[in-house]
Amino acid sequence: MDLELILRVYPFFLEAAWVTIELSVLTAILGLTCGALGAAARMSRMSLFRGIGAAYVSVFRGTPALIQIFILYFGGPQIGIQLDSFSAGTIALGVNIGAYMTETIRGAIISVDRGQTEAARTLGMSRWETMRKVVLPQAARMMIRPLGVNINALIKGTALVAPISVIELTYTAQRFIGSTYKPFEMFLLSGILYMAIIYVVGQGISWLDRRAQIT
Amino acid sequence: MTEYAFVTIKNAAKSYGALEVLKDINLTVQRGQIVAIIGPSGSGKSTLLRAINELDPLTSGEVWLEDVQINRKLPFRQYEAHVNQVRQDIGMVFQHFNLFPHLTVRGNITLAPRMLKGLTEAEADTLAEEQLAKVGLSEKIDEYPSRLSGGQKQRVAIARALAMKPKVMLFDEATSALDPELVEEVNLVMKQLAEEHMTMIIVTHEMDFAASVCDRVLFMDQGVVVEEGPPSVIFQNPKHERTQNFLRKHLNR
Ligand SMILES: Nc1ncnc2c1ncn2[C@@H]1O[C@H](COP(=O)(O)OP(=O)(O)OP(=O)(O)O)[C@@H](O)[C@H]1O
Ligand SMILES: [Mg+2]
């Protein structure tokens, strides 16, 4: 193993890790937003919205994320959508993980006992008041862990933007392999940095989950 | 002046697909009256009770609370506003308590009054204290439901319903999920409500309780009211064979 090489290139990898973190954070925010909207649509009273929600989930879970990224980045300009690679990658990944998060959020909401809704409605609370004050606070606790799983997948999924030349961890490793011919060291370095990011995020999610279960 | 009956159910029918769960039920409950509904499992007792507050709307027929029809056919938004309003007058207690686990006892009792009646925090606190004192649980005000016994949970659930100052209370097997030694404390609270002349409709499997507290007993079977009358008649002198058979199984004599 070429330690000297690693010491020479690691600042570039740290910068790339920062890009991976940025991608992850933006993707997570977009994904959670899409997930919340998707879950609301899937559980809407109106069949049109339920249909849209179901179509969203099945399209984005039913095709490879890489294809979704390619369609947006390479295919986009053909239909008048011109995005830089970072934006295209973030949007495609965010909308993709949002489909998974839709199901996570919906699953947590429907796992709240029906009796909770009945009790609140019986007192005279409206659908929305019941959702906001009774169902969502309970569902929120139950969705922390599964959303954590989605976020873990999302961080690893950011590697999929390497082919459209976003200078994140995977792309950076590939770029240095081109000049150094040392794939073992380069991928190892990327891998370690991914693991560090995932470890920290995982700890944060465990902490949130513990806090939520206290009461 | 018209004397309105408190609760009126006219020609109530309910089906789930081909299954007729309620068949042409008529029932009038007067102000301050306490009615027990008994009958075998699956006879439609819960369905009837839950039709009163539109949890399980009827397929046909009418439900009235005083001069307000509860099950009005209205466009969605108006219907929602209407049921949200009328449900405030109808308290309901469930077999499995359905307390809100993420809220303290205080939070459980004050949530709806604060949201729906615009009580201030201080007013809501006073209300919670009053209602808890009534069910004998003042010291539990800051506990979470998970730390209460079944009997205590059900008493909090009753306090929560009473905090809306309902005109009528519905009980769906309020003590069926309780260990035998916890049943009495809940029955006591219900008896106390009876003494205050709360109008109550009580679905129960406890014949002794029905006999001692209720003014009238309805025996239901297969979606119809087979027989009704004062407890002395229903329990000592039932006319119908179906009632006799049911009571033979449920009264140990
Ligand atoms: N959502 C539903 N869909 C289909 N059938 C239902 C539904 N709810 C109730 N039923 C049926 O309606 C009938 C009456 O049920 P209900 O719960 O009112 O009986 P019950 O008298 O309360 O019985 P128990 O003493 O067991 O509580 C039963 O045959 C039940 O299977
Ligand atoms: Mg029942």
Side-chain angles (χ1 to χ4, degrees), chain A residues 45 113 115-116 118-127 129 132-134 137-138 141 215, chain B residues 50 53 55 76 80 84 87-88 90 92 94 98-102 111 115-116 144 160 164:
Chain A
R45 201 173 56 79
D113 180 20
Q116 293 290 308
E118 289 183 352
R121 296 306 309 273
T122 296
L123 290 164
M125 290 167 64
S126 70
R127 282 164 185 262
E129 286 163 345
R132 193 162 60 92
K133 293 289 188 177
V134 174
Q138 294 181 57
R141 293 164 193 219
T215 49
Chain B
R50 292 160 58 88
N53 64 2
L55 273 187
F76 181 76
E80 285 291 313
N84 292 341
R87 280 175 179 156
Q88 295 188 24
I90 308 172
M92 187 166 206
F94 302 86
N98 300 349
L99 290 182
F100 307 134
H102 60 299
L111 178 66
M115 293 193 86
L116 305 173
Y144 281 91
R160 175 176 70 178
M164 289 303 288

mmCIF file of all heavy atoms in Angstrom, chain A residues 45 113 115-116 118-127 129 132-134 137-138 141 215, chain B residues 50 53 55 76 80 84 87-88 90 92 94 98-102 111 115-116 144 160 164:
data_model
loop_
_atom_site.group_PDB
_atom_site.id
_atom_site.type_symbol
_atom_site.label_atom_id
_atom_site.label_comp_id
_atom_site.label_asym_id
_atom_site.label_seq_id
_atom_site.Cartn_x
_atom_site.Cartn_y
_atom_site.Cartn_z
ATOM 1 N N ARG A 45 -57.935 12.050 0.312
ATOM 2 C CA ARG A 45 -59.326 11.641 0.141
ATOM 3 C C ARG A 45 -59.646 11.569 -1.352
ATOM 4 O O ARG A 45 -60.558 10.882 -1.765
ATOM 5 C CB ARG A 45 -60.195 12.702 0.813
ATOM 6 C CG ARG A 45 -61.568 12.282 1.199
ATOM 7 C CD ARG A 45 -62.199 13.394 1.998
ATOM 8 N NE ARG A 45 -62.203 14.652 1.282
ATOM 9 C CZ ARG A 45 -63.072 14.962 0.329
ATOM 10 N NH1 ARG A 45 -63.994 14.118 -0.036
ATOM 11 N NH2 ARG A 45 -63.022 16.146 -0.271
ATOM 12 N N ASP A 113 -52.431 3.275 15.718
ATOM 13 C CA ASP A 113 -53.686 2.572 15.983
ATOM 14 C C ASP A 113 -54.898 3.416 15.573
ATOM 15 O O ASP A 113 -54.990 4.600 15.885
ATOM 16 C CB ASP A 113 -53.739 2.263 17.490
ATOM 17 C CG ASP A 113 -55.006 1.536 17.884
ATOM 18 O OD1 ASP A 113 -55.659 0.950 17.003
ATOM 19 O OD2 ASP A 113 -55.331 1.561 19.083
ATOM 20 N N GLY A 115 -57.715 3.406 16.757
ATOM 21 C CA GLY A 115 -58.414 3.894 17.945
ATOM 22 C C GLY A 115 -58.002 5.305 18.327
ATOM 23 O O GLY A 115 -58.786 6.057 18.915
ATOM 24 N N GLN A 116 -56.767 5.671 17.993
ATOM 25 C CA GLN A 116 -56.288 7.025 18.282
ATOM 26 C C GLN A 116 -57.086 8.052 17.493
ATOM 27 O O GLN A 116 -57.529 9.066 18.019
ATOM 28 C CB GLN A 116 -54.803 7.138 17.921
ATOM 29 C CG GLN A 116 -53.908 6.294 18.799
ATOM 30 C CD GLN A 116 -53.853 6.847 20.205
ATOM 31 O OE1 GLN A 116 -53.574 8.028 20.407
ATOM 32 N NE2 GLN A 116 -54.149 6.017 21.180
ATOM 33 N N GLU A 118 -60.019 7.510 16.139
ATOM 34 C CA GLU A 118 -61.418 7.463 16.574
ATOM 35 C C GLU A 118 -61.622 8.277 17.839
ATOM 36 O O GLU A 118 -62.597 9.026 17.960
ATOM 37 C CB GLU A 118 -61.849 6.015 16.803
ATOM 38 C CG GLU A 118 -61.974 5.248 15.501
ATOM 39 C CD GLU A 118 -62.475 3.822 15.702
ATOM 40 O OE1 GLU A 118 -62.588 3.378 16.868
ATOM 41 O OE2 GLU A 118 -62.744 3.166 14.684
ATOM 42 N N ALA A 119 -60.693 8.149 18.784
ATOM 43 C CA ALA A 119 -60.849 8.888 20.041
ATOM 44 C C ALA A 119 -60.831 10.394 19.771
ATOM 45 O O ALA A 119 -61.652 11.144 20.301
ATOM 46 C CB ALA A 119 -59.741 8.503 21.021
ATOM 47 N N ALA A 120 -59.906 10.832 18.930
ATOM 48 C CA ALA A 120 -59.794 12.273 18.661
ATOM 49 C C ALA A 120 -61.016 12.788 17.899
ATOM 50 O O ALA A 120 -61.581 13.829 18.229
ATOM 51 C CB ALA A 120 -58.520 12.562 17.876
ATOM 52 N N ARG A 121 -61.440 12.025 16.881
ATOM 53 C CA ARG A 121 -62.609 12.454 16.109
ATOM 54 C C ARG A 121 -63.857 12.487 16.977
ATOM 55 O O ARG A 121 -64.715 13.355 16.832
ATOM 56 C CB ARG A 121 -62.833 11.524 14.902
ATOM 57 C CG ARG A 121 -61.735 11.527 13.846
ATOM 58 C CD ARG A 121 -61.396 12.892 13.301
ATOM 59 N NE ARG A 121 -62.533 13.679 12.845
ATOM 60 C CZ ARG A 121 -63.065 13.622 11.626
ATOM 61 N NH1 ARG A 121 -62.574 12.800 10.725
ATOM 62 N NH2 ARG A 121 -64.084 14.393 11.289
ATOM 63 N N THR A 122 -63.954 11.512 17.899
ATOM 64 C CA THR A 122 -65.107 11.458 18.795
ATOM 65 C C THR A 122 -65.202 12.700 19.684
ATOM 66 O O THR A 122 -66.276 13.132 20.049
ATOM 67 C CB THR A 122 -64.991 10.188 19.670
ATOM 68 O OG1 THR A 122 -65.067 9.061 18.811
ATOM 69 C CG2 THR A 122 -66.101 10.114 20.683
ATOM 70 N N LEU A 123 -64.048 13.250 20.009
ATOM 71 C CA LEU A 123 -64.052 14.461 20.838
ATOM 72 C C LEU A 123 -64.469 15.690 20.024
ATOM 73 O O LEU A 123 -64.714 16.752 20.581
ATOM 74 C CB LEU A 123 -62.663 14.697 21.435
ATOM 75 C CG LEU A 123 -62.244 13.686 22.511
ATOM 76 C CD1 LEU A 123 -60.736 13.751 22.748
ATOM 77 C CD2 LEU A 123 -62.995 13.935 23.810
ATOM 78 N N GLY A 124 -64.509 15.537 18.709
ATOM 79 C CA GLY A 124 -64.923 16.647 17.852
ATOM 80 C C GLY A 124 -63.782 17.262 17.061
ATOM 81 O O GLY A 124 -63.960 18.250 16.356
ATOM 82 N N MET A 125 -62.592 16.671 17.179
ATOM 83 C CA MET A 125 -61.457 17.226 16.426
ATOM 84 C C MET A 125 -61.594 16.894 14.940
ATOM 85 O O MET A 125 -62.052 15.818 14.573
ATOM 86 C CB MET A 125 -60.137 16.661 16.987
ATOM 87 C CG MET A 125 -59.834 17.202 18.382
ATOM 88 S SD MET A 125 -58.517 16.305 19.242
ATOM 89 C CE MET A 125 -57.126 16.662 18.198
ATOM 90 N N SER A 126 -61.160 17.817 14.097
ATOM 91 C CA SER A 126 -61.278 17.616 12.657
ATOM 92 C C SER A 126 -60.214 16.628 12.183
ATOM 93 O O SER A 126 -59.322 16.250 12.933
ATOM 94 C CB SER A 126 -61.091 18.946 11.929
ATOM 95 O OG SER A 126 -59.741 19.345 12.032
ATOM 96 N N ARG A 127 -60.339 16.241 10.921
ATOM 97 C CA ARG A 127 -59.341 15.331 10.343
ATOM 98 C C ARG A 127 -57.936 15.882 10.503
ATOM 99 O O ARG A 127 -57.012 15.191 10.914
ATOM 100 C CB ARG A 127 -59.586 15.162 8.845
ATOM 101 C CG ARG A 127 -60.685 14.242 8.518
ATOM 102 C CD ARG A 127 -61.116 14.423 7.075
ATOM 103 N NE ARG A 127 -62.261 13.587 6.838
ATOM 104 C CZ ARG A 127 -62.204 12.371 6.274
ATOM 105 N NH1 ARG A 127 -61.068 11.913 5.831
ATOM 106 N NH2 ARG A 127 -63.285 11.643 6.136
ATOM 107 N N GLU A 129 -56.804 18.373 12.472
ATOM 108 C CA GLU A 129 -56.397 18.522 13.881
ATOM 109 C C GLU A 129 -55.967 17.181 14.459
ATOM 110 O O GLU A 129 -54.980 17.085 15.198
ATOM 111 C CB GLU A 129 -57.572 19.071 14.714
ATOM 112 C CG GLU A 129 -57.848 20.542 14.476
ATOM 113 C CD GLU A 129 -59.228 21.000 14.957
ATOM 114 O OE1 GLU A 129 -60.109 20.148 15.229
ATOM 115 O OE2 GLU A 129 -59.426 22.215 15.042
ATOM 116 N N ARG A 132 -52.570 16.259 13.007
ATOM 117 C CA ARG A 132 -51.479 17.089 13.486
ATOM 118 C C ARG A 132 -51.169 16.845 14.966
ATOM 119 O O ARG A 132 -50.005 16.795 15.365
ATOM 120 C CB ARG A 132 -51.862 18.561 13.283
ATOM 121 C CG ARG A 132 -50.728 19.538 13.437
ATOM 122 C CD ARG A 132 -51.083 20.866 12.807
ATOM 123 N NE ARG A 132 -52.263 21.448 13.413
ATOM 124 C CZ ARG A 132 -52.238 22.305 14.433
ATOM 125 N NH1 ARG A 132 -51.098 22.689 14.933
ATOM 126 N NH2 ARG A 132 -53.359 22.781 14.924
ATOM 127 N N LYS A 133 -52.198 16.690 15.771
ATOM 128 C CA LYS A 133 -51.982 16.628 17.221
ATOM 129 C C LYS A 133 -51.933 15.223 17.790
ATOM 130 O O LYS A 133 -51.438 15.016 18.896
ATOM 131 C CB LYS A 133 -53.105 17.402 17.943
ATOM 132 C CG LYS A 133 -53.082 18.886 17.694
ATOM 133 C CD LYS A 133 -51.893 19.497 18.421
ATOM 134 C CE LYS A 133 -51.945 21.002 18.348
ATOM 135 N NZ LYS A 133 -50.850 21.615 19.102
ATOM 136 N N VAL A 134 -52.484 14.273 17.061
ATOM 137 C CA VAL A 134 -52.562 12.917 17.615
ATOM 138 C C VAL A 134 -51.770 11.911 16.781
ATOM 139 O O VAL A 134 -50.933 11.184 17.308
ATOM 140 C CB VAL A 134 -54.045 12.469 17.751
ATOM 141 C CG1 VAL A 134 -54.139 11.013 18.192
ATOM 142 C CG2 VAL A 134 -54.770 13.380 18.741
ATOM 143 N N PRO A 137 -47.602 13.140 15.696
ATOM 144 C CA PRO A 137 -46.602 13.048 16.763
ATOM 145 C C PRO A 137 -46.225 11.598 17.082
ATOM 146 O O PRO A 137 -45.065 11.315 17.406
ATOM 147 C CB PRO A 137 -47.289 13.701 17.965
ATOM 148 C CG PRO A 137 -48.347 14.566 17.391
ATOM 149 C CD PRO A 137 -48.791 13.898 16.116
ATOM 150 N N GLN A 138 -47.190 10.696 16.966
ATOM 151 C CA GLN A 138 -46.877 9.284 17.237
ATOM 152 C C GLN A 138 -46.156 8.653 16.052
ATOM 153 O O GLN A 138 -45.237 7.851 16.229
ATOM 154 C CB GLN A 138 -48.166 8.519 17.539
ATOM 155 C CG GLN A 138 -48.816 8.988 18.823
ATOM 156 C CD GLN A 138 -50.085 8.205 19.135
ATOM 157 O OE1 GLN A 138 -50.069 6.988 19.237
ATOM 158 N NE2 GLN A 138 -51.191 8.907 19.287
ATOM 159 N N ARG A 141 -42.299 9.472 15.739
ATOM 160 C CA ARG A 141 -41.363 8.649 16.505
ATOM 161 C C ARG A 141 -41.070 7.349 15.795
ATOM 162 O O ARG A 141 -39.961 6.840 15.840
ATOM 163 C CB ARG A 141 -41.977 8.300 17.859
ATOM 164 C CG ARG A 141 -42.119 9.491 18.719
ATOM 165 C CD ARG A 141 -43.052 9.223 19.871
ATOM 166 N NE ARG A 141 -43.367 10.502 20.466
ATOM 167 C CZ ARG A 141 -43.483 10.725 21.745
ATOM 168 N NH1 ARG A 141 -43.333 9.721 22.595
ATOM 169 N NH2 ARG A 141 -43.737 11.922 22.204
ATOM 170 N N THR A 215 -40.371 9.638 26.376
ATOM 171 C CA THR A 215 -41.664 9.805 27.055
ATOM 172 C C THR A 215 -42.542 8.569 26.923
ATOM 173 O O THR A 215 -42.475 7.880 25.957
ATOM 174 C CB THR A 215 -42.436 10.991 26.470
ATOM 175 O OG1 THR A 215 -42.446 10.871 25.067
ATOM 176 C CG2 THR A 215 -41.807 12.281 26.906
ATOM 177 N N ARG B 50 -71.762 3.150 17.612
ATOM 178 C CA ARG B 50 -70.865 3.970 16.793
ATOM 179 C C ARG B 50 -71.606 4.702 15.681
ATOM 180 O O ARG B 50 -71.058 5.634 15.088
ATOM 181 C CB ARG B 50 -69.748 3.089 16.219
ATOM 182 C CG ARG B 50 -68.796 2.594 17.308
ATOM 183 C CD ARG B 50 -68.012 1.369 16.858
ATOM 184 N NE ARG B 50 -67.242 1.628 15.672
ATOM 185 C CZ ARG B 50 -66.001 2.108 15.681
ATOM 186 N NH1 ARG B 50 -65.391 2.328 16.828
ATOM 187 N NH2 ARG B 50 -65.373 2.350 14.568
ATOM 188 N N ASN B 53 -72.587 8.493 16.911
ATOM 189 C CA ASN B 53 -71.705 9.640 16.684
ATOM 190 C C ASN B 53 -71.016 9.610 15.316
ATOM 191 O O ASN B 53 -69.987 10.239 15.116
ATOM 192 C CB ASN B 53 -70.682 9.789 17.817
ATOM 193 C CG ASN B 53 -69.722 8.618 17.893
ATOM 194 O OD1 ASN B 53 -69.784 7.705 17.079
ATOM 195 N ND2 ASN B 53 -68.826 8.660 18.854
ATOM 196 N N LEU B 55 -69.287 7.458 13.813
ATOM 197 C CA LEU B 55 -68.028 6.741 13.573
ATOM 198 C C LEU B 55 -68.254 5.663 12.517
ATOM 199 O O LEU B 55 -67.382 5.397 11.700
ATOM 200 C CB LEU B 55 -67.505 6.093 14.862
ATOM 201 C CG LEU B 55 -66.637 6.933 15.785
ATOM 202 C CD1 LEU B 55 -66.087 6.070 16.909
ATOM 203 C CD2 LEU B 55 -65.502 7.616 15.046
ATOM 204 N N PHE B 76 -69.228 17.130 1.451
ATOM 205 C CA PHE B 76 -68.143 16.731 2.346
ATOM 206 C C PHE B 76 -67.732 17.769 3.392
ATOM 207 O O PHE B 76 -67.708 17.495 4.589
ATOM 208 C CB PHE B 76 -66.923 16.303 1.521
ATOM 209 C CG PHE B 76 -65.768 15.866 2.385
ATOM 210 C CD1 PHE B 76 -65.778 14.635 3.009
ATOM 211 C CD2 PHE B 76 -64.676 16.714 2.581
ATOM 212 C CE1 PHE B 76 -64.724 14.232 3.816
ATOM 213 C CE2 PHE B 76 -63.625 16.311 3.386
ATOM 214 C CZ PHE B 76 -63.657 15.070 4.002
ATOM 215 N N GLU B 80 -68.321 17.454 7.377
ATOM 216 C CA GLU B 80 -67.228 17.401 8.353
ATOM 217 C C GLU B 80 -67.436 18.438 9.447
ATOM 218 O O GLU B 80 -67.293 18.148 10.630
ATOM 219 C CB GLU B 80 -65.877 17.622 7.655
ATOM 220 C CG GLU B 80 -65.402 16.417 6.859
ATOM 221 C CD GLU B 80 -65.008 15.249 7.757
ATOM 222 O OE1 GLU B 80 -64.275 15.469 8.738
ATOM 223 O OE2 GLU B 80 -65.446 14.122 7.480
ATOM 224 N N ASN B 84 -68.091 17.420 13.332
ATOM 225 C CA ASN B 84 -67.143 17.907 14.337
ATOM 226 C C ASN B 84 -67.881 18.667 15.433
ATOM 227 O O ASN B 84 -67.491 18.635 16.596
ATOM 228 C CB ASN B 84 -66.082 18.801 13.696
ATOM 229 C CG ASN B 84 -65.162 18.025 12.772
ATOM 230 O OD1 ASN B 84 -65.080 16.805 12.868
ATOM 231 N ND2 ASN B 84 -64.498 18.720 11.865
ATOM 232 N N ARG B 87 -70.303 16.022 17.493
ATOM 233 C CA ARG B 87 -69.550 15.062 18.302
ATOM 234 C C ARG B 87 -69.084 15.654 19.625
ATOM 235 O O ARG B 87 -68.821 14.930 20.583
ATOM 236 C CB ARG B 87 -68.341 14.543 17.520
ATOM 237 C CG ARG B 87 -68.705 13.450 16.529
ATOM 238 C CD ARG B 87 -67.506 13.081 15.712
ATOM 239 N NE ARG B 87 -67.817 12.014 14.759
ATOM 240 C CZ ARG B 87 -67.132 11.823 13.653
ATOM 241 N NH1 ARG B 87 -66.102 12.592 13.362
ATOM 242 N NH2 ARG B 87 -67.442 10.835 12.842
ATOM 243 N N GLN B 88 -68.960 16.977 19.661
ATOM 244 C CA GLN B 88 -68.559 17.602 20.920
ATOM 245 C C GLN B 88 -69.585 17.343 22.016
ATOM 246 O O GLN B 88 -69.259 17.386 23.193
ATOM 247 C CB GLN B 88 -68.373 19.110 20.729
ATOM 248 C CG GLN B 88 -67.224 19.433 19.799
ATOM 249 C CD GLN B 88 -66.917 20.915 19.763
ATOM 250 O OE1 GLN B 88 -67.211 21.649 20.698
ATOM 251 N NE2 GLN B 88 -66.312 21.370 18.681
ATOM 252 N N ILE B 90 -71.267 14.514 22.308
ATOM 253 C CA ILE B 90 -71.435 13.075 22.511
ATOM 254 C C ILE B 90 -70.109 12.483 22.971
ATOM 255 O O ILE B 90 -69.180 12.363 22.186
ATOM 256 C CB ILE B 90 -71.878 12.387 21.199
ATOM 257 C CG1 ILE B 90 -73.103 13.095 20.610
ATOM 258 C CG2 ILE B 90 -72.166 10.912 21.453
ATOM 259 C CD1 ILE B 90 -73.490 12.591 19.225
ATOM 260 N N MET B 92 -67.576 9.536 24.165
ATOM 261 C CA MET B 92 -67.519 8.094 23.928
ATOM 262 C C MET B 92 -66.333 7.487 24.658
ATOM 263 O O MET B 92 -65.245 8.058 24.671
ATOM 264 C CB MET B 92 -67.412 7.798 22.437
ATOM 265 C CG MET B 92 -67.521 6.314 22.136
ATOM 266 S SD MET B 92 -67.804 6.026 20.382
ATOM 267 C CE MET B 92 -68.627 4.456 20.421
ATOM 268 N N PHE B 94 -64.140 3.884 25.001
ATOM 269 C CA PHE B 94 -63.863 2.676 24.223
ATOM 270 C C PHE B 94 -63.350 1.546 25.116
ATOM 271 O O PHE B 94 -62.762 1.796 26.174
ATOM 272 C CB PHE B 94 -62.784 2.967 23.169
ATOM 273 C CG PHE B 94 -63.137 4.078 22.209
ATOM 274 C CD1 PHE B 94 -62.871 5.399 22.525
ATOM 275 C CD2 PHE B 94 -63.733 3.792 20.988
ATOM 276 C CE1 PHE B 94 -63.183 6.423 21.642
ATOM 277 C CE2 PHE B 94 -64.046 4.810 20.105
ATOM 278 C CZ PHE B 94 -63.776 6.127 20.432
ATOM 279 N N ASN B 98 -57.940 3.970 24.362
ATOM 280 C CA ASN B 98 -57.479 4.885 23.310
ATOM 281 C C ASN B 98 -56.979 6.219 23.857
ATOM 282 O O ASN B 98 -57.229 7.271 23.266
ATOM 283 C CB ASN B 98 -58.573 5.134 22.270
ATOM 284 C CG ASN B 98 -59.010 3.851 21.579
ATOM 285 O OD1 ASN B 98 -58.365 2.816 21.734
ATOM 286 N ND2 ASN B 98 -60.084 3.900 20.845
ATOM 287 N N LEU B 99 -56.268 6.161 24.968
ATOM 288 C CA LEU B 99 -55.623 7.394 25.445
ATOM 289 C C LEU B 99 -54.497 7.746 24.484
ATOM 290 O O LEU B 99 -53.937 6.878 23.823
ATOM 291 C CB LEU B 99 -55.061 7.186 26.854
ATOM 292 C CG LEU B 99 -56.097 7.054 27.967
ATOM 293 C CD1 LEU B 99 -55.387 6.892 29.309
ATOM 294 C CD2 LEU B 99 -57.034 8.258 28.008
ATOM 295 N N PHE B 100 -54.146 9.034 24.431
ATOM 296 C CA PHE B 100 -53.059 9.472 23.554
ATOM 297 C C PHE B 100 -51.728 9.236 24.287
ATOM 298 O O PHE B 100 -51.438 9.920 25.265
ATOM 299 C CB PHE B 100 -53.230 10.944 23.197
ATOM 300 C CG PHE B 100 -54.599 11.265 22.628
ATOM 301 C CD1 PHE B 100 -55.313 12.363 23.073
ATOM 302 C CD2 PHE B 100 -55.161 10.466 21.638
ATOM 303 C CE1 PHE B 100 -56.573 12.661 22.553
ATOM 304 C CE2 PHE B 100 -56.418 10.753 21.107
ATOM 305 C CZ PHE B 100 -57.125 11.846 21.572
ATOM 306 N N PRO B 101 -50.935 8.277 23.832
ATOM 307 C CA PRO B 101 -49.762 7.878 24.609
ATOM 308 C C PRO B 101 -48.666 8.941 24.666
ATOM 309 O O PRO B 101 -47.822 8.906 25.552
ATOM 310 C CB PRO B 101 -49.263 6.622 23.885
ATOM 311 C CG PRO B 101 -49.798 6.736 22.503
ATOM 312 C CD PRO B 101 -51.096 7.477 22.605
ATOM 313 N N HIS B 102 -48.686 9.886 23.699
ATOM 314 C CA HIS B 102 -47.625 10.894 23.662
ATOM 315 C C HIS B 102 -47.954 12.098 24.535
ATOM 316 O O HIS B 102 -47.151 13.018 24.639
ATOM 317 C CB HIS B 102 -47.377 11.337 22.220
ATOM 318 C CG HIS B 102 -48.592 11.949 21.575
ATOM 319 N ND1 HIS B 102 -49.769 11.264 21.393
ATOM 320 C CD2 HIS B 102 -48.807 13.187 21.085
ATOM 321 C CE1 HIS B 102 -50.654 12.046 20.811
ATOM 322 N NE2 HIS B 102 -50.094 13.227 20.613
ATOM 323 N N LEU B 111 -56.490 18.520 25.516
ATOM 324 C CA LEU B 111 -56.234 18.729 24.082
ATOM 325 C C LEU B 111 -57.466 19.245 23.333
ATOM 326 O O LEU B 111 -57.433 20.310 22.705
ATOM 327 C CB LEU B 111 -55.737 17.423 23.439
ATOM 328 C CG LEU B 111 -55.489 17.491 21.927
ATOM 329 C CD1 LEU B 111 -54.342 18.434 21.604
ATOM 330 C CD2 LEU B 111 -55.206 16.101 21.349
ATOM 331 N N MET B 115 -58.336 23.068 21.884
ATOM 332 C CA MET B 115 -58.422 23.301 20.441
ATOM 333 C C MET B 115 -59.811 23.773 20.031
ATOM 334 O O MET B 115 -59.955 24.635 19.183
ATOM 335 C CB MET B 115 -58.123 22.008 19.681
ATOM 336 C CG MET B 115 -56.711 21.548 19.821
ATOM 337 S SD MET B 115 -56.358 20.260 18.615
ATOM 338 C CE MET B 115 -55.895 21.281 17.242
ATOM 339 N N LEU B 116 -60.821 23.146 20.622
ATOM 340 C CA LEU B 116 -62.172 23.337 20.089
ATOM 341 C C LEU B 116 -62.964 24.397 20.838
ATOM 342 O O LEU B 116 -63.878 24.986 20.294
ATOM 343 C CB LEU B 116 -62.934 22.009 20.124
ATOM 344 C CG LEU B 116 -62.217 20.868 19.398
ATOM 345 C CD1 LEU B 116 -62.931 19.552 19.618
ATOM 346 C CD2 LEU B 116 -62.099 21.173 17.913
ATOM 347 N N TYR B 144 -47.764 9.893 32.289
ATOM 348 C CA TYR B 144 -48.107 9.441 30.948
ATOM 349 C C TYR B 144 -48.973 8.183 31.068
ATOM 350 O O TYR B 144 -48.831 7.435 32.039
ATOM 351 C CB TYR B 144 -46.842 9.147 30.134
ATOM 352 C CG TYR B 144 -46.217 10.419 29.606
ATOM 353 C CD1 TYR B 144 -45.259 11.101 30.338
ATOM 354 C CD2 TYR B 144 -46.645 10.954 28.396
ATOM 355 C CE1 TYR B 144 -44.718 12.292 29.868
ATOM 356 C CE2 TYR B 144 -46.109 12.134 27.923
ATOM 357 C CZ TYR B 144 -45.150 12.802 28.660
ATOM 358 O OH TYR B 144 -44.626 13.966 28.187
ATOM 359 N N ARG B 160 -61.536 12.518 30.119
ATOM 360 C CA ARG B 160 -61.276 13.197 28.853
ATOM 361 C C ARG B 160 -62.587 13.461 28.104
ATOM 362 O O ARG B 160 -62.798 14.550 27.572
ATOM 363 C CB ARG B 160 -60.347 12.326 28.000
ATOM 364 C CG ARG B 160 -60.095 12.874 26.606
ATOM 365 C CD ARG B 160 -59.098 12.035 25.842
ATOM 366 N NE ARG B 160 -59.647 10.723 25.470
ATOM 367 C CZ ARG B 160 -58.992 9.816 24.768
ATOM 368 N NH1 ARG B 160 -57.754 10.055 24.363
ATOM 369 N NH2 ARG B 160 -59.555 8.647 24.481
ATOM 370 N N MET B 164 -65.336 17.616 27.661
ATOM 371 C CA MET B 164 -66.029 18.323 26.573
ATOM 372 C C MET B 164 -67.457 18.682 26.973
ATOM 373 O O MET B 164 -68.203 19.232 26.170
ATOM 374 C CB MET B 164 -66.027 17.477 25.296
ATOM 375 C CG MET B 164 -64.680 17.341 24.617
ATOM 376 S SD MET B 164 -63.934 18.933 24.192
ATOM 377 C CE MET B 164 -64.994 19.449 22.834
#
